[in-house]
Amino acid sequence: MQPVRPEFVPDASLTREEMESLQDEIAEAAVFEDDLGFDPEDVTVGRDSGQRSLVEADPPVIAGVDQAFLEDDRAVSAAVALRAGEVIDEATAVAETEIPYIPGLLSFREGNAVLAALEALSVSPDLTVVDGSGRIHFRQAGLATHVGVTLDHPTVGVAKNLLCGTPREPIPDRLPEGARIPIEANGDVTAPDGTVIGYAYQSRQYERGSTSINPLYVSSGHRISAEAAVAVVERTCDGYKLPEPTRLADALADEAKSEFR
DNA sequence: GCGACAG
DNA sequence: ATCTTGTCGC
């Protein structure tokens, strides 16, 4: 995969104002509707892939990317590609983190590492799951959207915490497994109030006990609707809170850390 | 001025 | 994200 919109490649030397206006342009170019080359129903993971994958001749390739950081100012990004739950490709890359973490500007810190890892992949995924928000972002241009639009490639954002927006209804202490609650735009987001910019999705939950698992915050990155984004995430989860592509990329990024020092 | 904010 | 052992609860 190569950038299709070079002008959107993250440039950490820009001023904060320039970064924000670039995000406005990215959001303008983003497609928050389904423009996938596959049916989300054909996405499978190891567990229940049995029946379905047998009848599906050409399962979509889903990739996951995640970052880990070195002691200095370098980020290690790892990408893992799977087809029907089977790993078919992996790649890692290192990049300088030129700026600190700033809520709302994450892609200018980690974006290039992500792009480098995805470019190092020898296969071209049908969709990539990114760790972080997509449309759930002040200017509707989170890391997943930034990367997706730059590559003009379908992406989904999966975050462990809500950056902005408001749940349509208060999120219970213990959301049942499989539940989803719409996240709507509010005054903090550049979208009409009430616009559904993503979902709180409970990928896993304990049946009983005092502790509970928090939901995932799923949003469209590029070329996918919020509903389909949740459907894809649901089908890539395999008994754990995080989607399998993300878990594998996270593990690979950790391993790669020791090799890059 | 205060609060709030992915990784 | 990262520094980190045990520990409480699935």
Side-chain angles (χ1 to χ4, degrees):
Chain A
M1 285 198 284
Q2 289 288 309
V4 172
R5 303 295 297 271
E7 70 273 30
F8 290 152
V9 170
D11 179 355
S13 70
L14 298 177
T15 63
R16 178 167 189 143
E17 289 63 40
E18 295 173 323
M19 291 180 180
E20 297 184 346
S21 56
L22 183 63
Q23 292 183 323
D24 285 330
E25 289 180 46
I26 290 169
E28 196 58 43
V31 174
F32 299 129
E33 295 174 1
D34 296 318
D35 181 17
L36 307 165
F38 64 93
D39 184 339
E41 296 294 299
D42 292 331
V43 174
T44 58
V45 73
R47 184 160 46 81
D48 61 301
S49 62
Q51 294 284 33
R52 205 64 187 76
S53 66
L54 288 178
V55 298
E56 176 51 47
D58 184 34
V61 174
I62 308 297
V65 284
D66 188 41
Q67 292 70 245
F69 298 83
L70 271 12
E71 300 168 299
D72 52 7
D73 37 69
R74 289 184 299 165
V76 175
S77 184
V80 177
L82 306 88
R83 182 166 51 209
E86 304 281 303
V87 175
I88 60 169
D89 196 15
E90 298 182 334
T92 58
V94 242
E96 303 292 324
T97 54
E98 306 172 57
I99 59 172
Y101 163 67
I102 300 171
L105 299 180
L106 181 66
S107 63
F108 288 91
R109 172 179 165 78
E110 307 181 3
N112 284 313
V114 173
L115 290 174
L118 292 178
E119 285 173 34
L121 230 36
S122 44
V123 301
S124 187
D126 290 298
L127 176 149
T128 297
V129 178
V130 179
D131 63 306
S133 290
R135 194 183 188 183
I136 293 182
H137 179 275
F138 308 118
R139 290 165 293 284
Q140 305 180 78
L143 180 61
T145 300
H146 198 150
V147 169
V149 171
T150 300
L151 299 172
D152 189 25
H153 164 71
T155 55
V156 165
V158 175
K160 303 179 199 66
N161 292 290
L162 187 59
L163 174 62
C164 59
T166 316
R168 176 172 292 172
E169 53 194 83
I171 296 177
D173 299 317
R174 172 184 292 275
L175 256 190
E177 192 166 305
R180 53 206 76 190
I181 292 179
I183 300 300
E184 306 180 328
N186 56 14
D188 296 336
V189 183
T190 60
D193 275 41
T195 302
V196 176
I197 54 177
Y199 284 89
Y201 170 64
Q202 197 69 45
S203 55
R204 184 190 175 192
Q205 188 55 282
Y206 299 134
E207 288 295 336
R208 52 202 309 150
S210 57
T211 58
S212 63
I213 297 174
N214 293 137
L216 248 29
Y217 293 93
V218 181
S219 58
S220 7
H222 182 47
R223 293 172 53 177
I224 188 168
S225 63
E227 292 68 33
V230 175
V232 168
V233 169
E234 175 173 41
R235 300 188 66 85
T236 52
C237 284
D238 191 23
Y240 293 93
K241 171 176 176 174
L242 295 173
E244 218 53 26
T246 301
R247 299 184 65 242
L248 295 173
D250 180 82
L252 180 57
D254 270 325
E255 295 172 31
K257 272 178 70 173
S258 55
E259 298 164 19
F260 279 120
R261 55 183 177 187

